[in-house]
Amino acid sequence: MNVRLTSPGPTLGVVGGGQLGRMLGEAAGPLGIEIVVLDPTPDCPASPVVNDQIVGEFDDPDGLRELAERADVLTFEIELADPELLETVHEETGVPVEPSPSTLRTIQDKLVQKRSLAEAEIPVPEFRRVDSVEDLREAGEELGWPLMLKARRGGYDGRGNVAVDGPEEADDAMAEIGGDAMVEAFVPFDRELSVIGVKGEDTTDAFPVTETIHKQEILRETVTPPQVGNEADQSEIERRAYDVASDVLDQMEGRGVYGIELFEVNGRILVNEIAPRPHNSGHWTIEGAITSQFEQHVRAVMGWPLGTTDRRCPTVTTNILGGVAEPRPAELTGVETVLAGTNANLHWYGKQEVRPLRKMGHITTTGTDPNALLKRTRDLRDAVSFETPE
Amino acid sequence: MNVRLTSPGPTLGVVGGGQLGRMLGEAAGPLGIEIVVLDPTPDCPASPVVNDQIVGEFDDPDGLRELAERADVLTFEIELADPELLETVHEETGVPVEPSPSTLRTIQDKLVQKRSLAEAEIPVPEFRRVDSVEDLREAGEELGWPLMLKARRGGYDGRGNVAVDGPEEADDAMAEIGGDAMVEAFVPFDRELSVIGVKGEDTTDAFPVTETIHKQEILRETVTPPQVGNEADQSEIERRAYDVASDVLDQMEGRGVYGIELFEVNGRILVNEIAPRPHNSGHWTIEGAITSQFEQHVRAVMGWPLGTTDRRCPTVTTNILGGVAEPRPAELTGVETVLAGTNANLHWYGKQEVRPLRKMGHITTTGTDPNALLKRTRDLRDAVSFETPE
C-alpha cells in the first residue's frame, strides 16, 4: 500500500491504556501516528505519552463509539475488550478493527482457543472441558495427575489457574475457579519459550524466539536467545518454535502481533497460550530487535509494511513486580542502581498503585552472553524496592 | 543521588516543543518522567507525545512561570530561550534550570562563544568581530579569503551564515547579515565530525564521534563510526575528537547534553559550534547507542545517573528535508519504501507545514558497513517526496 504521512497523522484507537498501551504510544510517536486510548482508570499508564484518553470501561458502548469516531483504525491491548461490541461498532462506523474480533473471541475462551489449535493439528498439551468436580476427577483418571485447572475466561498472570495434584484437591480447586473451566495435562517442560508473531497486510513474520522464566505463573525474566545446549540444538529449537508459530499465525484472523507461549519438552514444541496483542515476553524487542513489537503492532494494524524483526544482540528483561503485601501508592526506591547499570534500560509503567505481584515496570540489559546478562539483570532488579525504608 | 519513582512521576519543563522536544518526550516515557513544553505553535511537534503544552512564546514571562510552577526541573531545546528570564524565574521559583542560563547566554552569541573557547585554549578557526564592511575587509586581509561571515545571534541551519569569497562581496554580505557579526577563516576541512557530550551530576561522558555531511550548511547525513582511512587512524581521530569535546565540556556550566560540531583538518580537530541541547548530529543514538542522547539529556538534567554511551552498531541517519519551493501543508508520499527498508527506522516530526529545506523527519539504518548503509539510507530518503503527484 502507499503510505502518506501528514500532521496530524492518522489516529489509532486502542482499547486499554495499561503498560502495553503506554509502550504502543511510545512506539507510535516516531511513526507519526497519534494514539487515543479507552481505559476506565483516569490518568491510566498510557495517558501521559499518548494524544488523549477517553475514560470508560473496555466494554462501554459510548466510549468505544467515541474512540471509533476519532480513529482511523481500532485495536486492543487487553483481552477484556468485547468482541461483539467491536463488531457492532465496526459495522456502524466502518472503522477497521485489527486483529479481528472473531480472533479475540476465540482466544478469550481458553477451551475454544485450544480446540481451534488442536483442530488445525497444532501440537498442544492434552486438555478437557471441565464443568464440575466430576469432570475434573474423570479428566485426572484419563490424563493423569497433576493437572492444570484453568478458568475458561478472564484469567491472567496466574489468576484463574490452579494446579491440582490429585483427586483429593478437586473440590477446592473447582470451588476456587468456579464452573466453566478446562484442564490441561501437566507438561514436564524442559523450558518455556515464546515467539512474537506478526500478521501484516500480506506478509507474516516472527521475532526470534525467547526463553521465558515464570514463577507462580507470572513471567519474571526473558532470555534472548534461549540458552539451549550447543548451537546446533539451539538453531533446531528456534526453527521448530518458528514453524509452530507460523502455523498458529495461519489460524489467526486479522493484522497485528501475537504473543505465542510455548513449552519445549524433549525437543518437541507445544503451544501453551496465545495473546492477540503485544506480550510481556516481547518487551525485549524494544532494545533487542531492529523493530520493537510495539512499533510492529502499530505498523501491522495500520496496514503498513512490517519492520525488520532481526535481533540486534543478546538481550535479557526482568519484570519489576509489586513486592508488597498490601496495595499502596507506588513508590519505587533504589532506582539509581538500575539507571547506573551497564547497558541497562529502565521502563516504568506509571501505575499509581502498587499491588502484590503487579507488573510495575521492567529492566532490559543488552550485551553478548545471555547467562551473564541474566545474572546482572536480576541483581539490578533486586536493588529496587517498593518497601518504604523505616 | 537516590532516585525514587512515583506515578505521576517528576515533571520536566521544556522551553521549545519542536522535533527535539518531541524526541525528548519519546525518551522520557520509559523513565517515568512527564514532560510539559512551552511553544508558541498550537499542536507543536512535541504535543501529541508529551503530557501537556503551554502555548506561549519561548520568552513569554507568564508562560515560563507557569512552566516552572508545573515542573521539577526546567530545560530548553532551542537557543531562542531567554537566559535572563530563565534566571529570573529560577530565582523566583527555585526550580533548577539545566544547562545553566549563563551557558546559554555564552553560546547564543557566536562571538562570545568562540572567545570563551579560545580563552580556554580550545582549538577553533581564526575569527574576528565584524561590525562594518570595513571590519570585514580588514579581516579578509588578515585571515585571507574566503571567509565565513556569521550573524552573532539567531542563525540556524545555514540562516545567518554567508560565505564571502573576496572584498568585492563584502558590501552584499554585510547587507544580508546586518551588523553585529563575526567572521571565521575558511577551514579546508577533510571531514566534519560531531561529538555529543554530556555533563551529569558529577560525571562527564561523550557518545562515540560521528561524521556529519552538510550541504548548503544544513546537516544531511551522519555516519557512525566515521570512515577515516585505516583503523589506527580512526581510533586516533576518535581519541582527539573525544579529548577536545572533553575540554569543551569543562567550559560548560550546568547539566545536560551538548552537541559539539568539529572540523578535522590535517589530523587536527577544531571546534566549529556548540549547542547546549540534544543535536541533529546525535539522532543516530536513538537506535545506534545503548542510551539515546534524548534519554541522556533527561537523565542529566534531572540529576539522575547517566546511561551507557556505547555504540550498539554502525549507524547512518539522513534528514528528510522539505523539498518544496513554497510552504504548504506537509504531506509526505513514498513512505512505504522507507517502512519496508531493511533495518530502517523512520522518525516523523509531526510538523504541519513543510517549508523549503525544513527538517521534517529522519531515517536511521543500522548494520555493519557504514558506507553501504550510507548508500542504502540515501536511496530510502530519495524515495519520499513532498511533491503532490499530478
Side-chain angles (χ1 to χ4, degrees):
Chain A
M1 89 183 280
N2 293 331
V3 179
R4 289 176 183 220
L5 279 176
T6 52
S7 307
T11 296
L12 175 59
V14 182
V15 178
Q19 67 265 30
L20 301 177
R22 183 178 176 112
M23 289 184 274
L24 283 171
E26 290 161 0
L31 297 175
I33 290 174
E34 310 207 343
I35 300 249
V36 179
V37 300
L38 171 66
D39 195 282
T41 308
D43 300 319
C44 66
S47 136
V49 305
V50 299
N51 220 34
D52 207 0
Q53 173 184 5
I54 298 167
V55 178
E57 297 295 330
F58 307 124
D59 58 359
D60 170 36
D62 292 339
L64 192 64
R65 281 196 187 93
E66 187 188 340
L67 190 67
E69 275 156 22
R70 297 177 61 177
D72 297 284
V73 174
L74 289 177
T75 189
F76 42 86
E77 57 97 83
I78 187 159
E79 278 97 329
L80 296 175
D82 181 334
E84 282 68 38
L85 185 60
L86 285 165
E87 274 165 355
T88 305
V89 169
H90 165 61
E91 278 158 25
E92 284 172 10
T93 62
V95 176
V97 180
E98 304 288 348
S100 158
S102 67
T103 295
L104 175 61
R105 187 183 295 115
T106 301
I107 285 178
Q108 276 179 337
D109 184 326
K110 290 185 181 177
L111 179 64
V112 175
Q113 182 189 139
K114 277 275 160 30
R115 277 184 185 154
S116 78
L117 293 171
E119 274 165 27
E121 297 182 356
I122 291 166
V124 292
E126 285 201 89
F127 65 95
R128 294 284 184 281
R129 174 176 178 157
V130 165
D131 293 327
S132 64
V133 174
E134 281 318 298
D135 289 349
L136 176 54
R137 292 219 173 92
E138 213 168 282
E141 278 166 37
E142 274 188 77
L143 307 177
W145 305 96
L147 287 173
M148 182 60 80
L149 180 67
K150 296 179 171 183
R152 285 171 58 180
R153 297 169 164 279
Y156 72 99
D157 285 349
R159 281 181 248 190
N161 283 9
V162 181
V164 195
D165 283 337
E168 68 286 356
E169 292 180 16
D171 281 302
D172 286 355
M174 275 308 285
E176 188 174 335
I177 293 294
D180 228 11
M182 64 171 296
V183 283
E184 284 179 10
F186 178 77
V187 177
F189 57 79
D190 298 313
R191 199 175 329 266
E192 289 183 274
L193 302 171
S194 167
V195 173
I196 305 295
V198 53
K199 281 176 86 93
E201 179 93 318
D202 36 37
T203 52
T204 288
D205 199 357
F207 289 89
V209 64
T210 193
E211 180 177 346
T212 55
I213 301 172
H214 292 80
K215 216 187 289 179
Q216 297 159 282
E217 298 196 58
I218 297 178
L219 182 67
R220 303 299 167 121
E221 295 110 1
T222 70
V223 183
T224 317
Q227 290 310 281
V228 188
N230 60 40
E231 259 184 47
D233 288 350
Q234 183 163 315
S235 22
E236 181 58 20
I237 286 292
E238 290 205 356
R239 194 188 58 73
R240 285 183 202 168
Y242 191 93
D243 284 350
V244 168
S246 172
D247 290 342
V248 167
L249 288 179
D250 285 344
Q251 299 305 311
M252 299 292 128
E253 274 178 39
R255 302 192 300 261
V257 305
Y258 294 85
I260 305 168
E261 295 182 273
L262 306 168
F263 294 123
E264 178 202 342
V265 49
N266 295 327
R268 274 188 78 211
I269 300 291
L270 303 179
V271 174
N272 178 12
E273 281 186 12
I274 298 163
R277 52 164 174 79
H279 190 262
N280 194 170
S281 63
H283 293 355
W284 70 271
T285 58
I286 297 175
E287 288 85 6
I290 302 287
T291 310
S292 80
Q293 66 165 346
F294 299 101
E295 175 174 342
Q296 196 74 300
H297 188 69
V298 172
R299 286 169 174 249
V301 299
M302 297 304 295
W304 289 8
L306 301 179
T308 306
T309 51
D310 288 5
R311 188 169 56 224
R312 286 192 198 278
C313 58
T315 306
V316 164
T317 69
T318 172
N319 282 334
I320 299 172
L321 299 179
V324 292
E326 297 293 334
R328 63 161 80 170
E331 183 181 348
L332 188 68
T333 60
V335 182
E336 65 279 1
T337 305
V338 177
L339 292 168
T342 307
N343 291 15
N345 295 93
L346 170 70
H347 296 263
W348 176 247
Y349 300 156
K351 297 180 184 179
Q352 295 163 47
E353 190 178 68
V354 55
R355 297 176 203 146
L357 296 182
R358 192 178 198 197
K359 292 173 180 172
M360 301 299 292
H362 74 269
I363 301 165
T364 303
T365 63
T366 47
T368 48
D369 173 12
N371 282 326
L373 287 178
L374 181 57
K375 186 183 174 314
R376 193 147 57 74
T377 314
R378 284 175 169 162
D379 287 346
L380 293 176
R381 177 199 60 203
D382 293 344
V384 298
S385 165
F386 287 100
E387 296 299 333
T388 314
E390 296 306 312
Chain B
M1 88 182 282
N2 293 332
V3 179
R4 289 176 184 220
L5 280 177
T6 52
S7 306
T11 295
L12 176 60
V14 182
V15 179
Q19 68 264 28
L20 301 177
R22 182 178 176 112
M23 289 184 274
L24 282 172
E26 289 161 1
L31 295 175
I33 290 173
E34 310 207 345
I35 300 248
V36 179
V37 301
L38 171 66
D39 195 283
T41 307
D43 299 319
C44 67
S47 136
V49 304
V50 299
N51 220 34
D52 207 1
Q53 172 184 5
I54 297 167
V55 178
E57 297 295 330
F58 307 124
D59 57 359
D60 170 35
D62 292 338
L64 192 64
R65 281 194 188 96
E66 187 188 339
L67 191 67
E69 275 156 21
R70 296 177 61 177
D72 297 284
V73 174
L74 288 178
T75 189
F76 42 87
E77 58 95 83
I78 186 158
E79 277 96 328
L80 296 174
D82 181 335
E84 283 68 38
L85 185 60
L86 285 166
E87 273 164 355
T88 306
V89 169
H90 165 61
E91 279 158 24
E92 284 172 10
T93 62
V95 177
V97 179
E98 304 288 347
S100 158
S102 66
T103 295
L104 175 61
R105 187 183 296 113
T106 302
I107 285 179
Q108 276 179 337
D109 184 326
K110 289 184 181 178
L111 180 65
V112 176
Q113 183 190 139
K114 276 277 158 31
R115 277 184 183 154
S116 78
L117 293 171
E119 273 164 28
E121 297 182 356
I122 290 165
V124 292
E126 286 201 89
F127 64 95
R128 295 285 183 279
R129 175 175 176 155
V130 165
D131 293 326
S132 65
V133 174
E134 280 319 298
D135 289 349
L136 177 54
R137 291 219 174 91
E138 212 168 283
E141 277 166 38
E142 274 187 76
L143 307 178
W145 306 96
L147 287 172
M148 182 61 79
L149 181 67
K150 297 180 171 182
R152 285 171 60 179
R153 296 170 164 280
Y156 72 99
D157 284 349
R159 282 182 247 191
N161 283 8
V162 180
V164 195
D165 283 337
E168 69 285 357
E169 293 179 14
D171 280 304
D172 286 354
M174 275 310 284
E176 188 173 337
I177 294 294
D180 228 12
M182 65 172 294
V183 283
E184 285 180 9
F186 177 77
V187 178
F189 57 79
D190 299 312
R191 201 174 330 267
E192 290 182 274
L193 302 172
S194 167
V195 173
I196 305 296
V198 54
K199 282 177 84 93
E201 177 91 319
D202 36 36
T203 52
T204 288
D205 199 357
F207 288 90
V209 63
T210 193
E211 181 177 345
T212 55
I213 301 171
H214 292 81
K215 216 188 287 181
Q216 297 159 285
E217 297 195 61
I218 298 178
L219 182 65
R220 305 299 167 121
E221 294 111 1
T222 69
V223 182
T224 318
Q227 289 310 282
V228 187
N230 61 40
E231 259 184 48
D233 288 350
Q234 183 162 316
S235 19
E236 181 57 21
I237 286 293
E238 291 204 356
R239 193 189 57 73
R240 284 184 202 168
Y242 191 93
D243 284 350
V244 169
S246 173
D247 291 343
V248 168
L249 287 179
D250 285 344
Q251 299 305 311
M252 300 293 129
E253 274 178 41
R255 303 192 300 262
V257 303
Y258 294 84
I260 306 167
E261 295 183 271
L262 305 168
F263 294 123
E264 178 201 341
V265 50
N266 296 327
R268 274 189 79 213
I269 299 291
L270 303 179
V271 174
N272 178 12
E273 283 186 11
I274 298 163
R277 51 165 174 79
H279 189 262
N280 194 170
S281 63
H283 293 355
W284 70 271
T285 58
I286 298 175
E287 287 85 5
I290 302 289
T291 310
S292 81
Q293 67 166 343
F294 298 101
E295 175 174 343
Q296 196 74 301
H297 188 69
V298 172
R299 286 170 173 249
V301 300
M302 297 305 296
W304 288 8
L306 301 179
T308 307
T309 51
D310 288 4
R311 188 168 57 223
R312 285 192 197 279
C313 58
T315 305
V316 164
T317 69
T318 173
N319 281 335
I320 299 172
L321 299 178
V324 292
E326 297 293 334
R328 64 161 81 170
E331 183 181 349
L332 188 68
T333 60
V335 181
E336 65 279 2
T337 305
V338 177
L339 292 168
T342 306
N343 291 16
N345 294 93
L346 171 71
H347 296 262
W348 176 247
Y349 299 156
K351 297 180 183 179
Q352 294 163 49
E353 190 177 68
V354 55
R355 298 177 202 144
L357 296 181
R358 191 177 198 198
K359 292 174 180 171
M360 302 299 292
H362 74 269
I363 300 165
T364 304
T365 62
T366 47
T368 50
D369 172 13
N371 281 327
L373 287 179
L374 181 56
K375 186 183 174 314
R376 193 146 59 74
T377 314
R378 284 175 168 163
D379 287 345
L380 292 176
R381 177 197 61 203
D382 294 343
V384 298
S385 166
F386 288 100
E387 296 299 332
T388 313
E390 296 305 313

